[in-house]
Amino acid sequence: MEFKILKNKLHESIQHVSKAITNRTTIPILSGIKIDAYDQEVILTASDTEISIQSFIPKEIEDNPVIEIIREGNVVLPAKFFVEIIRKLPGEYVEIKVDSSFQTTIKSGTSELQIIGLDPEEYPVLPSIEENNSIMLASDLLKSMIKQTSFSISTNESTPILTGILWNLSNKNLKFVATDRHRLASREISNIEVSEDLNLGNIVISGKTLNELNKLLPDQNQMIHIVFANNQVLFKIDSILFYTRILDGIYPDTSKIIPQTFKTEIIVPTKLFLEAIDRAYLLSRENQTNIVKMIIRDHEEIEITSSLTSLGKITEQVKAERIDGELIQISFNSKYMLDALKVIDSENIQIGITGTMSPIIIKPSEDTNMLHLILPYRTTN
Amino acid sequence: MEFKILKNKLHESIQHVSKAITNRTTIPILSGIKIDAYDQEVILTASDTEISIQSFIPKEIEDNPVIEIIREGNVVLPAKFFVEIIRKLPGEYVEIKVDSSFQTTIKSGTSELQIIGLDPEEYPVLPSIEENNSIMLASDLLKSMIKQTSFSISTNESTPILTGILWNLSNKNLKFVATDRHRLASREISNIEVSEDLNLGNIVISGKTLNELNKLLPDQNQMIHIVFANNQVLFKIDSILFYTRILDGIYPDTSKIIPQTFKTEIIVPTKLFLEAIDRAYLLSRENQTNIVKMIIRDHEEIEITSSLTSLGKITEQVKAERIDGELIQISFNSKYMLDALKVIDSENIQIGITGTMSPIIIKPSEDTNMLHLILPYRTTN
């Protein structure tokens, strides 16, 4: 293998695939990045078995040469060092040359490197995915759907299925659900572009993986092609392929725990409510429970309080837009409430309460596509 | 105590003094910030016994009211919570009221806090410092002197004196020295403004403390008044007083280890040399030794190499402006070299070598006020 490549393009590609590199891999070859040089392109591949990322660098971009291929071939180079050194090389171009024992010479400007490469034959083969079942989703929409749900996944590895986000697709309606049994976040969109009459059962993808994907998704409104196979999902982003496996297991049916009618309904400005909760959270977290109490004494204002014997007490008043139904007081985890409020971008939120021991529902007041649920704390008074 | 204060001014002052708060204090009262409200000003104080910081908030700033004092008095409030909550309060003003048992009520907009305060009588009294021995130094100059030497202090607590920076003042010449026995950094300035004919022996101030001070020093060319007492130094910055103690012990005499003549003298562009060392460092640190070799084969170029059996080898060529004297090869710690190069802002540096086992000297080529010394590694070839 021998080729010359624009340093910046190589660096950009390395940055993309390196998101799949972990330091704690037990498979030595996966601590490397695989480089395949073909006549028309160079492909970089990295994988941690959970996620695999490929980046394609074309020979030319808009008629400008990017790569000059001298001899096709491939090699695996140690990722950590490769990622850091390429960016710092002094030349505009980088020349990479591999001999028969995978000894690799990298030249750029006044620098010359000899790197001990690994045999690319040892590198795992990526799954081949048939493109029958697929959807198209705007990048910015996918990004916000992940952001608006992923904070609610469980971090407890004893229930692996809850560390994922549930994808449910039926009648061109895509819904994400995440729950850790104490709270739940859901977000849906309708009328998406699907191949044929695709309906997917419950597909669960690791929330951590989707957060990694989020870093690669462009902010612009660019279409992402998502392909579903037996136990894999493939995201096609521009010149990047992002593979991940589907989590095994049955996701719990969460539809029954969401109350449909409320005894108390509140409409309150999102920003004011968020700021009040945030201040109460500062005190409540000193206690590690994050517990705050919301008191509805009249149909005008919400009172938020939190107290801690050793530190003191905070009392917040938030003027509501509307309070309908029963006066009530209810306690909950202020951190969970904050997390939910931070991903809601509508001006007002609607809070629905059915009783001191029933789930609290938080929704944007003008939008039915998003829902957050928080289980209350049982308190003595 | 009762007063009303502009939130932003209070927040700014809290930010300043909170640099003296540590989480690991064993003296409960020092986990708090002391507030003294007087007729004409409010004073905040924080201390970790090593550093004490006071911030003065005047009643008015340029005829605009900042504080409205209702009743003088004082209290100590828990720093961690106080620092965070003030910034987030909803009002433009904050009202603070303390009752006889130090129970403190803080009101701002729709927020009300009850905080359990501590008895200010228990708070340690700051040292009173006579202002006989003092110097004036421009803030930006002091900042750069600290930055250009502090990285060379020892982090080993078994030789506490070397964790400090030596200040030596004689004939209006101020010199900073820092060394960890493997490297040394020194920086001096002449003709500073001193009180009378002040000459200071060797005063050593903790490098960590000076780095904390650096965060409070303004970037502008503002004069800082520095007062030296028996075992304390006081820095007066605007409305801030920063106290720190002088380290006990005798600082080693470092003058004898600095060679005055060289067998090899090199002038090389700082940026090119730094970048070459940086790349070699990336490989060398995989070995934990950071060892690189500098080879002078001719009077044109410097070669930098580093190699690691498991990873490979890097070879860098740097064209020198001038190489005089003997051809030589010498090994050293690339991290130490990088640290020194990063604080030199002149276009070219001068490297002086007296032998493979003698200290390497690095200086800005057009400036005699700064000097860095690195001890070489003994290598087999």
Side-chain angles (χ1 to χ4, degrees):
Chain A
M1 181 180 96
E2 186 174 354
F3 64 93
K4 187 172 165 183
I5 186 166
L6 263 181
K7 183 182 69 182
N8 290 344
K9 284 288 155 198
L10 178 60
H11 172 60
E12 189 185 285
S13 253
I14 294 174
Q15 286 290 104
H16 291 153
V17 300
S18 66
K19 304 222 162 26
I21 300 284
T22 60
N23 288 326
R24 0 162 218 90
T25 181
T26 50
I27 308 163
I29 194 91
L30 293 186
S31 67
I33 291 176
K34 183 159 168 256
I35 305 175
D36 291 282
Y38 297 108
D39 182 40
Q40 292 300 317
E41 64 185 351
V42 167
I43 306 175
L44 302 190
T45 307
S47 176
D48 68 353
T49 69
E50 190 69 31
I51 305 175
S52 302
I53 305 176
Q54 283 196 310
S55 175
F56 295 75
I57 313 170
K59 203 173 169 182
E60 291 182 352
I61 293 176
E62 289 163 5
D63 286 343
N64 296 313
V66 173
I67 308 169
E68 187 188 324
I69 301 281
I70 297 146
R71 203 171 69 249
E72 294 189 340
N74 44 29
V75 73
V76 176
L77 296 181
K80 193 181 156 225
F81 180 63
F82 191 55
V83 167
E84 290 183 296
I85 196 75
I86 293 296
R87 184 171 62 92
K88 297 194 166 180
L89 288 175
E92 189 187 349
Y93 285 88
V94 176
E95 291 171 55
I96 301 181
K97 189 175 170 181
V98 180
D99 73 12
S100 54
S101 58
F102 309 112
Q103 174 81 19
T104 304
T105 306
I106 300 179
K107 286 187 194 176
S108 179
T110 51
S111 291
E112 181 173 328
L113 286 149
Q114 304 287 341
I115 301 183
I116 296 161
L118 298 170
D119 184 353
E121 291 297 316
E122 287 175 27
Y123 203 87
V125 178
L126 295 196
S128 70
I129 288 187
E130 282 191 34
E131 309 225 342
N132 300 340
N133 298 330
S134 71
I135 63 173
M136 296 289 273
L137 216 54
S139 180
D140 52 355
L141 186 59
L142 177 57
K143 260 178 119 83
S144 59
M145 289 182 72
I146 294 170
K147 188 181 139 220
Q148 287 162 346
T149 51
S150 63
F151 63 88
S152 282
I153 60 166
S154 170
T155 52
N156 187 338
E157 292 293 337
S158 69
T159 49
I161 196 75
L162 294 185
T163 64
I165 295 178
L166 173 73
W167 292 45
N168 183 290
L169 176 67
S170 65
N171 302 321
K172 299 191 174 184
N173 190 75
L174 177 67
K175 184 175 183 178
F176 281 13
V177 177
T179 181
D180 62 2
R181 294 194 197 277
H182 305 288
R183 55 172 162 178
L184 175 148
S186 83
R187 172 78 162 88
E188 58 190 307
I189 44 162
S190 47
N191 247 318
I192 62 163
E193 207 177 308
V194 304
S195 60
E196 306 284 324
D197 288 332
L198 178 65
N199 287 304
L200 290 172
N202 288 346
I203 281 183
V204 184
I205 305 174
S206 154
K208 239 171 83 188
T209 295
L210 290 171
N211 281 329
E212 282 303 313
L213 173 71
N214 239 7
K215 296 177 193 161
L216 289 173
L217 289 173
D219 287 320
Q220 310 90 299
N221 189 2
Q222 181 185 317
M223 292 312 276
I224 309 298
H225 189 181
I226 308 169
V227 186
F228 301 90
N230 270 343
N231 59 354
Q232 291 276 335
V233 183
L234 166 60
F235 297 85
K236 295 178 155 189
I237 313 155
D238 238 350
S239 57
I240 303 168
L241 298 183
F242 185 102
Y243 296 80
T244 183
R245 65 181 190 85
I246 292 169
L247 294 187
D248 292 328
I250 308 291
Y251 203 85
D253 179 7
T254 56
S255 61
K256 290 182 204 113
I257 64 164
I258 300 168
Q260 300 301 323
T261 56
F262 305 108
K263 288 188 181 162
T264 311
E265 276 188 77
I266 304 162
I267 308 273
V268 68
T270 314
K271 187 165 177 285
L272 289 183
F273 189 66
L274 187 152
E275 289 173 352
I277 294 284
D278 191 21
R279 288 186 289 268
Y281 161 67
L282 279 186
L283 193 135
S284 70
R285 73 170 173 184
E286 296 292 314
N287 205 7
Q288 262 129 50
T289 61
N290 297 333
I291 190 168
V292 302
K293 194 192 282 179
M294 178 162 77
I295 306 168
I296 315 293
R297 295 190 207 283
D298 56 36
H299 290 87
E300 301 292 327
E301 279 193 333
I302 304 172
E303 184 175 303
I304 310 283
T305 71
S306 183
S307 65
L308 187 60
T309 323
S310 60
L311 188 61
K313 182 176 177 180
I314 185 163
T315 310
E316 293 283 340
Q317 306 294 339
V318 188
K319 202 163 161 23
E321 292 289 315
R322 245 179 67 192
I323 298 179
D324 294 329
E326 295 179 10
L327 304 182
I328 195 173
Q329 63 182 53
I330 191 165
S331 296
F332 53 84
N333 184 322
S334 57
K335 177 65 166 57
Y336 290 174
M337 183 61 87
L338 260 190
D339 286 346
L341 295 171
K342 279 180 183 168
V343 299
I344 298 178
D345 44 20
S346 74
E347 199 179 326
N348 290 300
I349 51 159
Q350 181 193 341
I351 304 173
I353 303 168
T354 27
T356 49
M357 289 317 299
S358 302
I360 305 165
I361 299 296
I362 305 103
K363 287 196 253 193
S365 72
E366 300 94 17
D367 187 355
T368 55
N369 287 334
M370 202 198 306
L371 178 145
H372 299 282
L373 175 152
I374 298 172
L375 290 185
Y377 276 123
R378 187 188 299 269
T379 51
T380 44
N381 58 336
Chain B
M1 181 181 95
E2 186 174 353
F3 63 93
K4 187 173 166 184
I5 185 167
L6 262 179
K7 182 182 71 183
N8 289 345
K9 283 288 155 199
L10 178 61
H11 172 59
E12 189 185 286
S13 254
I14 293 174
Q15 287 290 105
H16 290 151
V17 300
S18 66
K19 303 219 163 30
I21 300 284
T22 60
N23 289 325
R24 1 164 219 87
T25 181
T26 50
I27 308 163
I29 194 90
L30 292 186
S31 66
I33 291 176
K34 182 160 168 256
I35 305 175
D36 290 282
Y38 297 109
D39 182 41
Q40 292 300 318
E41 64 184 353
V42 166
I43 306 175
L44 302 190
T45 307
S47 176
D48 68 352
T49 68
E50 190 68 34
I51 306 175
S52 303
I53 305 175
Q54 283 196 311
S55 175
F56 296 75
I57 313 171
K59 204 172 168 183
E60 291 181 351
I61 292 176
E62 288 164 5
D63 285 342
N64 295 312
V66 174
I67 308 168
E68 187 188 326
I69 302 281
I70 297 145
R71 201 170 71 249
E72 294 189 340
N74 44 29
V75 72
V76 176
L77 295 180
K80 194 182 156 224
F81 179 63
F82 191 56
V83 168
E84 290 184 296
I85 197 74
I86 293 297
R87 184 170 62 92
K88 296 194 167 180
L89 289 176
E92 190 186 349
Y93 285 89
V94 177
E95 291 170 57
I96 302 180
K97 190 177 171 179
V98 179
D99 73 11
S100 55
S101 58
F102 309 111
Q103 174 82 19
T104 305
T105 305
I106 300 180
K107 286 187 193 175
S108 179
T110 51
S111 292
E112 180 173 328
L113 286 149
Q114 304 287 341
I115 301 184
I116 296 160
L118 299 169
D119 184 354
E121 290 297 317
E122 286 175 28
Y123 203 86
V125 178
L126 295 196
S128 72
I129 289 188
E130 283 190 34
E131 309 224 343
N132 300 343
N133 297 331
S134 71
I135 63 173
M136 296 288 273
L137 216 54
S139 180
D140 52 354
L141 187 58
L142 177 56
K143 259 179 118 86
S144 60
M145 288 183 72
I146 294 170
K147 188 181 137 218
Q148 287 161 346
T149 52
S150 62
F151 64 88
S152 283
I153 60 167
S154 170
T155 52
N156 187 340
E157 292 294 337
S158 70
T159 49
I161 197 76
L162 293 186
T163 64
I165 295 177
L166 173 72
W167 292 46
N168 183 291
L169 176 68
S170 66
N171 302 321
K172 302 192 173 183
N173 189 76
L174 177 66
K175 185 176 182 178
F176 282 14
V177 177
T179 181
D180 62 3
R181 295 193 197 280
H182 304 289
R183 55 171 162 181
L184 175 147
S186 83
R187 172 78 162 89
E188 60 189 308
I189 43 162
S190 46
N191 248 318
I192 62 163
E193 206 177 309
V194 304
S195 61
E196 306 283 324
D197 287 332
L198 178 65
N199 286 304
L200 290 170
N202 288 345
I203 281 183
V204 184
I205 304 175
S206 155
K208 240 171 85 189
T209 296
L210 289 171
N211 282 329
E212 283 303 314
L213 173 72
N214 239 6
K215 296 176 192 162
L216 289 173
L217 289 172
D219 287 321
Q220 310 90 298
N221 190 3
Q222 180 184 320
M223 293 311 277
I224 310 297
H225 189 181
I226 307 169
V227 186
F228 301 90
N230 271 342
N231 59 354
Q232 291 275 335
V233 183
L234 165 60
F235 297 85
K236 297 177 155 191
I237 312 155
D238 239 349
S239 56
I240 303 168
L241 297 184
F242 185 104
Y243 295 80
T244 184
R245 64 181 191 84
I246 291 169
L247 294 186
D248 291 329
I250 308 291
Y251 203 85
D253 179 7
T254 56
S255 61
K256 289 181 205 115
I257 64 163
I258 300 167
Q260 300 301 325
T261 55
F262 305 108
K263 288 189 181 161
T264 311
E265 276 188 78
I266 303 162
I267 308 271
V268 68
T270 313
K271 186 164 177 286
L272 288 183
F273 190 64
L274 187 152
E275 289 173 353
I277 295 284
D278 192 20
R279 287 187 289 269
Y281 161 67
L282 279 186
L283 193 136
S284 70
R285 72 170 173 184
E286 297 291 317
N287 206 8
Q288 263 130 49
T289 60
N290 299 331
I291 190 169
V292 302
K293 193 191 285 178
M294 178 161 79
I295 305 168
I296 315 293
R297 293 191 207 284
D298 56 36
H299 292 88
E300 302 291 326
E301 279 193 334
I302 304 172
E303 184 175 302
I304 310 282
T305 71
S306 183
S307 64
L308 188 59
T309 322
S310 60
L311 188 62
K313 182 176 177 178
I314 185 163
T315 311
E316 294 283 340
Q317 306 293 341
V318 188
K319 201 164 162 25
E321 293 288 315
R322 244 178 68 191
I323 298 178
D324 293 330
E326 294 180 11
L327 304 182
I328 195 172
Q329 62 182 55
I330 191 165
S331 296
F332 53 85
N333 184 322
S334 57
K335 176 66 166 58
Y336 291 174
M337 184 60 87
L338 260 190
D339 286 346
L341 294 171
K342 280 178 183 169
V343 300
I344 298 178
D345 44 22
S346 74
E347 200 179 325
N348 291 301
I349 52 159
Q350 182 193 339
I351 304 172
I353 303 168
T354 27
T356 49
M357 290 315 299
S358 302
I360 305 166
I361 299 295
I362 305 104
K363 289 195 253 192
S365 70
E366 299 92 18
D367 187 355
T368 55
N369 287 334
M370 200 199 306
L371 179 146
H372 299 281
L373 175 152
I374 298 172
L375 291 185
Y377 276 124
R378 187 189 300 268
T379 51
T380 43
N381 59 331

